[in-house]
Coordinates of all heavy atoms in Angstrom, one line a residue:
M1 N 46.1 156.4 16.7 CA 46.7 156.1 18.0 C 46.3 157.1 19.1 O 46.4 158.3 18.9 CB 48.2 156.1 17.9 CG 48.9 154.8 17.5 SD 48.6 153.5 18.7 CE 49.8 154.1 20.0
V2 N 46.0 156.5 20.2 CA 45.5 157.3 21.3 C 46.7 158.0 22.1 O 46.4 158.9 22.9 CB 44.6 156.5 22.4 CG1 43.3 156.1 21.7 CG2 45.4 155.4 22.9
N3 N 47.8 157.6 21.8 CA 49.0 158.2 22.6 C 49.7 159.3 21.8 O 50.8 159.7 22.2 CB 49.9 157.1 23.1 CG 49.3 156.2 24.1 OD1 48.5 156.6 24.9 ND2 49.7 154.9 24.1
H4 N 49.0 159.7 20.7 CA 49.6 160.8 19.9 C 49.2 162.1 20.5 O 48.2 162.4 21.0 CB 49.2 160.7 18.5 CG 50.0 159.6 17.8 ND1 50.0 159.5 16.4 CD2 50.7 158.6 18.3 CE1 50.8 158.5 16.1 NE2 51.2 157.8 17.2
C5 N 50.2 163.1 20.4 CA 50.0 164.4 21.0 C 48.9 165.2 20.3 O 48.9 165.2 19.0 CB 51.4 165.2 20.8 SG 51.3 166.8 21.3
P6 N 48.0 165.9 21.0 CA 47.0 166.7 20.4 C 47.6 168.0 19.7 O 46.9 168.6 18.9 CB 46.0 167.0 21.5 CG 46.7 166.8 22.8 CD 47.8 165.8 22.4
H7 N 48.8 168.3 20.2 CA 49.4 169.6 19.6 C 50.1 169.3 18.3 O 49.9 169.9 17.3 CB 50.4 170.1 20.6 CG 49.9 170.5 21.9 ND1 49.1 171.6 22.2 CD2 50.0 169.8 23.1 CE1 48.7 171.6 23.5 NE2 49.3 170.6 24.0
C8 N 50.9 168.2 18.3 CA 51.8 168.1 17.1 C 51.5 166.7 16.3 O 51.9 166.5 15.3 CB 53.3 168.0 17.5 SG 53.8 166.7 18.6
G9 N 50.7 165.9 16.9 CA 50.3 164.7 16.2 C 51.3 163.5 16.3 O 51.1 162.5 15.8
R10 N 52.5 163.8 16.9 CA 53.4 162.6 17.1 C 53.2 162.0 18.4 O 52.4 162.5 19.2 CB 54.9 163.3 17.0 CG 55.3 163.6 15.5 CD 56.6 164.3 15.5 NE 56.4 165.7 16.0 CZ 57.5 166.5 16.0 NH1 58.7 166.2 15.7 NH2 57.3 167.8 16.4
Q11 N 53.9 160.9 18.6 CA 53.7 160.1 19.9 C 54.2 161.0 21.0 O 55.4 161.4 21.0 CB 54.5 158.8 19.9 CG 54.2 158.0 21.1 CD 54.3 156.5 20.9 OE1 54.4 156.0 19.9 NE2 54.0 155.8 22.1
A12 N 53.4 161.2 22.0 CA 53.7 162.2 23.1 C 54.4 161.4 24.2 O 55.3 162.0 25.0 CB 52.4 162.9 23.6
L13 N 54.1 160.1 24.5 CA 54.6 159.4 25.6 C 54.4 157.9 25.4 O 53.6 157.6 24.5 CB 54.0 159.9 26.9 CG 52.6 159.4 27.3 CD1 52.2 160.0 28.6 CD2 51.6 159.7 26.3
S14 N 55.1 157.1 26.1 CA 54.9 155.7 26.1 C 53.7 155.2 26.9 O 53.3 155.9 27.8 CB 56.2 155.0 26.6 OG 56.3 155.2 28.0
P15 N 53.1 154.1 26.5 CA 52.0 153.6 27.4 C 52.3 153.4 28.9 O 51.5 153.8 29.7 CB 51.7 152.2 26.7 CG 52.1 152.3 25.3 CD 53.3 153.2 25.4
A16 N 53.6 153.0 29.1 CA 54.0 152.8 30.5 C 54.0 154.2 31.3 O 53.5 154.3 32.4 CB 55.3 152.2 30.6
R17 N 54.5 155.2 30.6 CA 54.6 156.6 31.2 C 53.2 157.1 31.4 O 52.9 157.8 32.4 CB 55.4 157.5 30.3 CG 55.7 158.9 30.8 CD 56.6 158.8 32.0 NE 56.7 160.0 32.7 CZ 55.8 160.4 33.6 NH1 54.8 159.6 33.9 NH2 55.9 161.5 34.3
K18 N 52.2 156.7 30.5 CA 50.9 157.2 30.6 C 50.2 156.6 31.9 O 49.5 157.3 32.5 CB 50.1 156.8 29.4 CG 48.7 157.4 29.2 CD 48.2 156.9 27.9 CE 46.7 157.3 27.7 NZ 46.2 156.6 26.5
L19 N 50.5 155.3 32.2 CA 50.0 154.6 33.3 C 50.4 155.4 34.6 O 49.6 155.5 35.6 CB 50.4 153.2 33.4 CG 49.8 152.2 32.4 CD1 50.4 150.9 32.5 CD2 48.3 152.2 32.5
L20 N 51.7 155.8 34.6 CA 52.1 156.5 35.8 C 51.6 157.9 36.0 O 51.7 158.4 37.0 CB 53.7 156.6 35.7 CG 54.4 155.2 35.8 CD1 55.9 155.4 35.5 CD2 54.2 154.5 37.1
L21 N 51.1 158.5 34.8 CA 50.7 159.9 34.9 C 49.5 160.0 35.8 O 49.4 161.0 36.5 CB 50.4 160.3 33.4 CG 49.9 161.7 33.2 CD1 51.0 162.7 33.7 CD2 49.7 161.9 31.7
G22 N 48.4 159.1 35.6 CA 47.2 159.3 36.4 C 46.2 160.2 35.7 O 46.6 160.9 34.8
P23 N 44.9 160.0 36.1 CA 43.9 160.8 35.4 C 44.0 162.3 35.5 O 43.6 163.1 34.7 CB 42.6 160.3 36.1 CG 42.9 159.1 36.8 CD 44.4 159.1 37.1
S24 N 44.6 162.8 36.6 CA 44.6 164.3 36.8 C 45.9 164.9 36.5 O 46.0 166.2 36.5 CB 44.2 164.6 38.3 OG 45.1 163.9 39.1
G25 N 46.9 164.1 36.2 CA 48.2 164.7 35.9 C 48.4 165.2 34.5 O 47.5 165.0 33.6
S26 N 49.5 165.9 34.2 CA 49.8 166.3 32.9 C 51.3 166.2 32.7 O 52.1 166.1 33.6 CB 49.3 167.8 32.6 OG 50.1 168.7 33.3
I27 N 51.7 166.1 31.4 CA 53.1 165.8 31.1 C 53.5 166.7 29.8 O 52.6 166.9 29.0 CB 53.4 164.3 30.9 CG1 54.8 164.0 30.8 CG2 52.7 163.8 29.7 CD1 55.1 162.5 30.8
A28 N 54.7 167.0 29.7 CA 55.2 167.7 28.5 C 55.4 166.6 27.4 O 56.1 165.7 27.5 CB 56.4 168.5 28.7
C29 N 54.8 166.8 26.2 CA 55.0 165.9 25.0 C 56.5 165.8 24.7 O 57.2 166.8 24.7 CB 54.2 166.5 23.8 SG 54.7 165.8 22.3
R30 N 57.0 164.6 24.5 CA 58.4 164.5 24.3 C 58.8 164.9 22.8 O 60.0 165.1 22.6 CB 58.8 163.0 24.5 CG 58.3 162.0 23.5 CD 58.8 160.6 23.9 NE 58.2 159.6 23.0 CZ 58.2 158.3 23.3 NH1 58.7 157.9 24.4 NH2 57.8 157.4 22.4
A31 N 57.9 165.1 22.0 CA 58.2 165.6 20.6 C 58.2 167.2 20.6 O 59.1 167.8 20.0 CB 57.2 165.1 19.6
C32 N 57.1 167.8 21.1 CA 57.0 169.3 20.9 C 57.0 170.0 22.3 O 57.1 171.2 22.3 CB 55.7 169.6 20.2 SG 54.2 169.4 21.1
G33 N 56.9 169.4 23.4 CA 56.9 170.0 24.7 C 55.6 170.6 25.1 O 55.5 171.2 26.2
G34 N 54.5 170.4 24.3 CA 53.2 170.9 24.8 C 52.7 170.0 25.9 O 53.0 168.9 26.0
R35 N 51.8 170.7 26.8 CA 51.3 170.0 28.0 C 50.2 169.1 27.4 O 49.2 169.5 26.7 CB 50.7 170.9 29.0 CG 51.8 171.8 29.6 CD 52.9 171.2 30.2 NE 52.5 170.4 31.4 CZ 53.4 169.8 32.2 NH1 54.7 169.8 31.9 NH2 53.0 169.1 33.3
V36 N 50.2 167.8 27.8 CA 49.1 166.9 27.5 C 48.7 166.1 28.8 O 49.5 165.9 29.6 CB 49.5 165.9 26.4 CG1 49.7 166.6 25.1 CG2 50.7 165.0 26.8
G37 N 47.5 165.7 28.8 CA 46.9 164.9 29.8 C 45.9 163.9 29.3 O 45.5 164.0 28.2
V38 N 45.5 162.9 30.1 CA 44.5 162.0 29.6 C 43.1 162.6 29.7 O 42.9 163.4 30.5 CB 44.6 160.6 30.4 CG1 45.9 159.9 30.2 CG2 44.2 160.9 31.8
A39 N 42.2 162.1 28.9 CA 40.8 162.6 28.9 C 40.2 162.1 30.2 O 40.2 160.9 30.5 CB 40.0 162.1 27.7
F40 N 39.8 163.0 31.1 CA 39.5 162.7 32.5 C 38.4 161.7 32.6 O 38.5 160.7 33.3 CB 39.1 164.0 33.1 CG 39.2 164.0 34.7 CD1 40.4 164.0 35.3 CD2 38.0 163.9 35.4 CE1 40.5 163.9 36.6 CE2 38.1 163.8 36.8 CZ 39.3 163.8 37.4
G41 N 37.2 161.9 31.9 CA 36.1 161.0 32.0 C 36.3 159.6 31.6 O 36.1 158.7 32.3
K42 N 37.0 159.5 30.4 CA 37.3 158.1 29.9 C 38.4 157.4 30.9 O 38.4 156.2 31.0 CB 37.9 158.2 28.6 CG 36.8 158.1 27.4 CD 37.4 157.8 26.1 CE 36.3 157.5 25.1 NZ 36.8 157.1 23.8
A43 N 39.3 158.3 31.4 CA 40.3 157.6 32.3 C 39.6 157.0 33.5 O 40.0 155.9 33.9 CB 41.3 158.7 32.8
W44 N 38.7 157.7 34.1 CA 38.0 157.1 35.3 C 37.2 156.0 34.9 O 37.0 155.0 35.6 CB 37.2 158.2 36.0 CG 38.1 159.0 36.9 CD1 38.4 160.4 36.7 CD2 38.8 158.5 38.0 NE1 39.3 160.7 37.7 CE2 39.5 159.6 38.5 CE3 38.8 157.3 38.7 CZ2 40.4 159.5 39.7 CZ3 39.7 157.2 39.8 CH2 40.4 158.3 40.3
L45 N 36.5 156.0 33.7 CA 35.7 154.9 33.1 C 36.6 153.7 33.0 O 36.2 152.6 33.4 CB 35.1 155.3 31.8 CG 33.7 155.0 31.6 CD1 32.8 155.9 32.4 CD2 33.3 155.1 30.2
A46 N 37.9 153.8 32.6 CA 38.7 152.7 32.4 C 39.2 152.2 33.8 O 39.4 151.0 33.9 CB 40.0 153.2 31.5
L47 N 39.4 153.1 34.7 CA 40.0 152.6 35.9 C 39.0 152.1 37.0 O 39.3 151.2 37.7 CB 40.7 153.8 36.7 CG 41.9 154.4 36.0 CD1 42.4 155.6 36.7 CD2 43.0 153.3 36.0
S48 N 37.7 152.5 37.0 CA 36.8 152.2 38.0 C 36.4 150.7 38.1 O 36.3 150.2 39.2 CB 35.5 153.1 37.9 OG 35.0 153.0 36.6
P49 N 36.2 150.0 36.9 CA 35.9 148.5 37.0 C 37.0 147.7 37.8 O 36.7 146.9 38.7 CB 35.7 148.1 35.6 CG 35.4 149.3 34.9 CD 36.2 150.4 35.5
G50 N 38.2 148.0 37.5 CA 39.3 147.3 38.1 C 39.4 147.7 39.5 O 39.7 146.7 40.3
L51 N 39.2 148.9 39.9 CA 39.3 149.3 41.3 C 38.2 148.6 42.1 O 38.4 148.1 43.2 CB 39.2 150.8 41.4 CG 40.4 151.6 40.9 CD1 40.1 153.1 41.0 CD2 41.7 151.2 41.5
L52 N 37.0 148.6 41.5 CA 35.9 147.9 42.1 C 36.2 146.4 42.4 O 35.9 145.9 43.5 CB 34.6 148.0 41.3 CG 33.9 149.3 41.5 CD1 32.7 149.3 40.5 CD2 33.4 149.6 42.9
V53 N 36.7 145.7 41.4 CA 37.0 144.3 41.5 C 38.0 144.1 42.5 O 38.0 143.2 43.4 CB 37.4 143.7 40.1 CG1 38.0 142.3 40.3 CG2 36.3 143.7 39.2
A54 N 39.1 144.9 42.5 CA 40.2 144.8 43.4 C 39.7 145.1 44.9 O 40.0 144.3 45.8 CB 41.4 145.8 43.1
A55 N 38.8 146.0 45.1 CA 38.3 146.3 46.4 C 37.4 145.2 46.9 O 37.4 144.9 48.1 CB 37.5 147.7 46.3
S56 N 36.5 144.7 46.0 CA 35.6 143.6 46.5 C 36.3 142.4 46.8 O 35.8 141.5 47.5 CB 34.5 143.5 45.4 OG 35.1 142.9 44.2
G57 N 37.5 142.1 46.1 CA 38.1 140.8 46.3 C 38.7 140.7 47.6 O 38.8 139.6 48.2
L58 N 39.1 141.8 48.3 CA 39.7 141.7 49.6 C 38.8 141.1 50.7 O 39.3 140.1 51.3 CB 40.2 143.1 50.1 CG 41.5 143.5 49.3 CD1 41.9 144.9 49.7 CD2 42.6 142.6 49.7
P59 N 37.6 141.6 50.9 CA 36.7 141.0 52.0 C 36.4 139.5 51.6 O 36.3 138.7 52.5 CB 35.5 141.9 52.0 CG 35.6 142.8 50.8 CD 37.0 142.8 50.3
I60 N 36.2 139.2 50.4 CA 35.9 137.9 50.0 C 37.1 136.9 50.3 O 36.9 135.8 50.9 CB 35.5 137.8 48.4 CG1 34.3 138.6 48.1 CG2 35.2 136.3 48.0 CD1 34.1 138.9 46.6
A61 N 38.2 137.3 49.9 CA 39.4 136.6 50.3 C 39.6 136.4 51.7 O 40.0 135.3 52.2 CB 40.6 137.2 49.7
H62 N 39.2 137.4 52.5 CA 39.3 137.3 54.0 C 38.3 136.2 54.5 O 38.6 135.5 55.4 CB 39.0 138.7 54.6 CG 39.5 138.8 56.0 ND1 40.8 138.8 56.3 CD2 38.8 138.9 57.1 CE1 40.9 138.9 57.6 NE2 39.7 139.0 58.1
A63 N 37.1 136.2 53.9 CA 36.1 135.3 54.4 C 36.4 133.9 54.1 O 36.1 133.0 54.9 CB 34.8 135.7 53.7
S64 N 37.0 133.6 53.0 CA 37.3 132.2 52.6 C 38.7 132.0 52.0 O 38.8 132.4 50.8 CB 36.1 131.6 51.8 OG 36.5 130.4 51.2
I65 N 39.6 131.5 52.6 CA 40.9 131.3 52.1 C 40.9 130.3 50.9 O 41.9 130.4 50.0 CB 41.9 130.9 53.2 CG1 43.3 131.3 52.8 CG2 41.7 129.4 53.5 CD1 43.7 132.7 53.1
R66 N 39.9 129.5 50.9 CA 39.8 128.5 49.8 C 39.7 129.2 48.4 O 40.1 128.6 47.4 CB 38.6 127.6 50.1 CG 38.7 126.2 49.7 CD 37.7 125.3 50.5 NE 36.4 126.0 50.6 CZ 35.4 125.8 49.7 NH1 35.6 125.1 48.6 NH2 34.2 126.4 49.8
H67 N 39.0 130.3 48.4 CA 38.8 131.0 47.1 C 39.9 131.9 46.8 O 39.8 132.6 45.7 CB 37.4 131.7 47.2 CG 36.3 130.8 47.3 ND1 35.3 131.1 48.2 CD2 36.0 129.6 46.8 CE1 34.4 130.1 48.2 NE2 34.8 129.2 47.3
L68 N 40.9 132.0 47.6 CA 41.9 133.0 47.3 C 42.6 132.9 45.9 O 42.7 134.0 45.3 CB 43.0 132.9 48.5 CG 44.0 134.1 48.5 CD1 43.2 135.4 48.7 CD2 44.9 133.9 49.7
P69 N 43.0 131.7 45.5 CA 43.7 131.7 44.2 C 42.7 132.2 43.1 O 43.2 132.9 42.2 CB 44.0 130.2 44.0 CG 44.0 129.7 45.4 CD 43.0 130.4 46.1
M70 N 41.5 131.8 43.1 CA 40.5 132.3 42.1 C 40.4 133.8 42.2 O 40.4 134.5 41.1 CB 39.2 131.6 42.3 CG 38.2 131.9 41.2 SD 36.5 131.2 41.7 CE 36.0 132.5 42.8
I71 N 40.3 134.3 43.3 CA 40.0 135.8 43.5 C 41.3 136.5 43.0 O 41.2 137.5 42.3 CB 39.7 136.1 45.0 CG1 38.3 135.6 45.3 CG2 39.8 137.6 45.2 CD1 38.1 135.4 46.8
L72 N 42.5 136.1 43.3 CA 43.7 136.7 42.9 C 43.8 136.6 41.4 O 44.2 137.6 40.8 CB 44.9 136.0 43.5 CG 45.1 136.3 45.0 CD1 46.3 135.6 45.6 CD2 45.2 137.8 45.3
T73 N 43.4 135.5 40.8 CA 43.4 135.5 39.3 C 42.5 136.5 38.7 O 42.8 137.2 37.8 CB 43.0 134.0 38.9 OG1 43.8 133.1 39.6 CG2 43.1 133.9 37.4
L74 N 41.3 136.6 39.2 CA 40.3 137.5 38.7 C 40.8 139.0 38.9 O 40.6 139.8 38.0 CB 38.9 137.3 39.4 CG 38.1 136.1 39.1 CD1 36.9 136.0 39.9 CD2 37.7 136.2 37.6
D75 N 41.3 139.2 40.1 CA 41.9 140.6 40.3 C 43.0 140.9 39.3 O 43.0 142.0 38.8 CB 42.5 140.6 41.8 CG 41.4 140.9 42.8 OD1 40.2 141.0 42.4 OD2 41.7 141.1 44.0
A76 N 43.9 139.9 39.1 CA 44.9 140.2 38.1 C 44.4 140.5 36.7 O 44.8 141.4 36.0 CB 45.9 139.0 38.1
L77 N 43.4 139.7 36.3 CA 42.8 139.9 35.0 C 42.2 141.3 34.9 O 42.2 142.0 33.9 CB 41.7 138.8 34.7 CG 42.3 137.4 34.4 CD1 41.1 136.4 34.3 CD2 43.1 137.5 33.1
A78 N 41.4 141.7 36.0 CA 40.7 142.9 36.1 C 41.8 144.1 35.9 O 41.6 145.1 35.2 CB 40.0 143.2 37.3
L79 N 43.0 143.9 36.6 CA 44.0 145.0 36.6 C 44.6 145.1 35.2 O 44.9 146.2 34.7 CB 45.0 144.7 37.7 CG 44.6 144.8 39.1 CD1 45.7 144.5 40.1 CD2 44.2 146.3 39.3
V80 N 44.8 143.9 34.6 CA 45.4 143.9 33.2 C 44.5 144.6 32.3 O 44.9 145.5 31.5 CB 45.7 142.5 32.8 CG1 46.0 142.4 31.3 CG2 46.9 141.9 33.6
A81 N 43.2 144.3 32.4 CA 42.2 144.8 31.5 C 42.1 146.3 31.7 O 42.0 147.2 30.8 CB 40.8 144.3 31.7
M82 N 42.2 146.7 33.0 CA 42.2 148.2 33.3 C 43.3 148.9 32.8 O 43.2 150.0 32.2 CB 42.1 148.2 34.8 CG 42.1 149.6 35.4 SD 42.0 149.6 37.2 CE 43.8 149.6 37.7
F83 N 44.6 148.4 33.0 CA 45.7 149.0 32.4 C 45.7 149.1 30.9 O 46.1 150.1 30.3 CB 47.0 148.3 32.9 CG 47.3 148.5 34.3 CD1 47.8 147.5 35.1 CD2 47.1 149.8 34.9 CE1 48.0 147.8 36.5 CE2 47.4 150.0 36.3 CZ 47.8 149.0 37.0
A84 N 45.2 148.0 30.3 CA 45.2 148.0 28.8 C 44.2 149.1 28.3 O 44.5 149.8 27.4 CB 44.8 146.6 28.3
A85 N 43.0 149.2 28.9 CA 42.0 150.2 28.5 C 42.6 151.6 28.7 O 42.5 152.4 27.9 CB 40.7 150.0 29.3
Y86 N 43.3 151.7 29.9 CA 43.9 153.0 30.1 C 45.0 153.4 29.1 O 45.1 154.6 28.7 CB 44.5 153.0 31.6 CG 44.8 154.4 32.1 CD1 43.8 155.2 32.6 CD2 46.1 154.8 32.1 CE1 44.1 156.5 33.0 CE2 46.5 156.1 32.6 CZ 45.5 156.9 33.1 OH 45.8 158.1 33.6
A87 N 45.8 152.5 28.8 CA 47.0 152.8 27.9 C 46.6 152.9 26.5 O 47.1 153.7 25.7 CB 48.0 151.7 28.1
W88 N 45.5 152.2 26.0 CA 45.2 152.1 24.6 C 43.8 152.6 24.2 O 43.4 152.5 23.0 CB 45.5 150.7 24.0 CG 47.0 150.5 24.0 CD1 47.9 151.0 23.1 CD2 47.7 149.6 24.8 NE1 49.1 150.6 23.4 CE2 49.1 149.7 24.4 CE3 47.4 148.7 25.8 CZ2 50.0 148.9 25.0 CZ3 48.4 148.0 26.4 CH2 49.7 148.1 26.0
W89 N 43.0 153.0 25.2 CA 41.6 153.5 24.9 C 41.4 154.9 25.2 O 40.7 155.6 24.6 CB 40.7 152.5 25.5 CG 39.2 152.9 25.3 CD1 38.5 152.9 24.2 CD2 38.3 153.4 26.3 NE1 37.2 153.3 24.4 CE2 37.1 153.6 25.7 CE3 38.5 153.6 27.8 CZ2 36.0 154.1 26.4 CZ3 37.3 154.1 28.4 CH2 36.1 154.3 27.7
V90 N 42.0 155.4 26.3 CA 41.8 156.7 26.8 C 42.7 157.7 26.0 O 43.9 157.5 25.9 CB 42.2 156.8 28.3 CG1 42.0 158.3 28.8 CG2 41.4 155.8 29.1
P91 N 42.1 158.7 25.3 CA 42.9 159.6 24.4 C 43.6 160.7 25.2 O 43.2 160.9 26.5 CB 41.8 160.2 23.5 CG 40.6 160.1 24.3 CD 40.7 159.0 25.3
L92 N 44.5 161.3 24.6 CA 45.2 162.5 25.2 C 44.5 163.8 24.8 O 44.0 163.9 23.7 CB 46.7 162.5 24.7 CG 47.6 161.4 25.2 CD1 48.9 161.5 24.6 CD2 47.7 161.4 26.8
Q93 N 44.6 164.8 25.7 CA 44.0 166.1 25.5 C 45.1 167.2 25.7 O 46.0 166.9 26.5 CB 42.9 166.4 26.4 CG 41.7 165.5 26.2 CD 40.6 165.7 27.2 OE1 40.9 166.1 28.4 NE2 39.4 165.6 26.9
C94 N 44.9 168.4 25.2 CA 45.7 169.6 25.6 C 45.4 169.9 27.0 O 44.3 169.8 27.4 CB 45.3 170.7 24.7 SG 45.5 170.4 22.9
R95 N 46.5 170.2 27.7 CA 46.2 170.8 29.1 C 46.8 172.1 29.2 O 47.7 172.5 28.6 CB 47.0 169.9 30.0 CG 46.3 168.6 30.4 CD 45.1 168.8 31.3 NE 44.2 167.7 31.3 CZ 44.3 166.7 32.1 NH1 45.3 166.5 32.9 NH2 43.4 165.7 32.1
Ligands
ZN1 ZN1 53.5 167.2 20.8

């Protein structure tokens, strides 16, 4: 499990709490109190495709309102994929 603490091996935080933490933040493990943070490189790797899709969707939606529902759907899928990768693929490290 990627959400297990590198200090004590128990679950350090919930996936939702991890999403709120962000790539540069750190938090005390809820089992042992050790400082943990997400692996920086993988965190950005997980976040960047979603951010790109969300950013590119805005000007396209502005240009043609007809495509808006499709763009919003793609954006939502990209965000879901991004959050899932961030919560379940990016490992925790000692901080
Ligand atoms: Zn711990």
Side-chain angles (χ1 to χ4, degrees):
M1 267 298 287
V2 292
N3 294 328
H4 283 196
C5 173
H7 302 284
C8 67
R10 284 173 286 180
Q11 182 151 358
L13 76 181
S14 67
R17 187 66 192 81
K18 190 178 173 187
L19 288 176
L20 293 174
L21 181 61
S24 58
S26 70
I27 190 175
C29 166
R30 68 183 176 192
C32 73
R35 300 300 295 182
V36 296
V38 296
F40 200 75
K42 272 195 169 183
W44 279 113
L45 226 73
L47 292 176
S48 52
L51 293 178
L52 279 177
V53 171
S56 66
L58 283 176
I60 299 169
H62 196 69
S64 172
I65 201 81
R66 215 157 43 85
H67 296 136
L68 192 58
M70 187 189 76
I71 289 161
L72 288 179
T73 306
L74 286 176
D75 274 6
L77 286 174
L79 289 176
V80 167
M82 179 176 91
F83 286 141
Y86 192 78
W88 289 290
W89 177 67
V90 180
L92 293 174
Q93 294 178 329
C94 304
R95 280 287 163 83

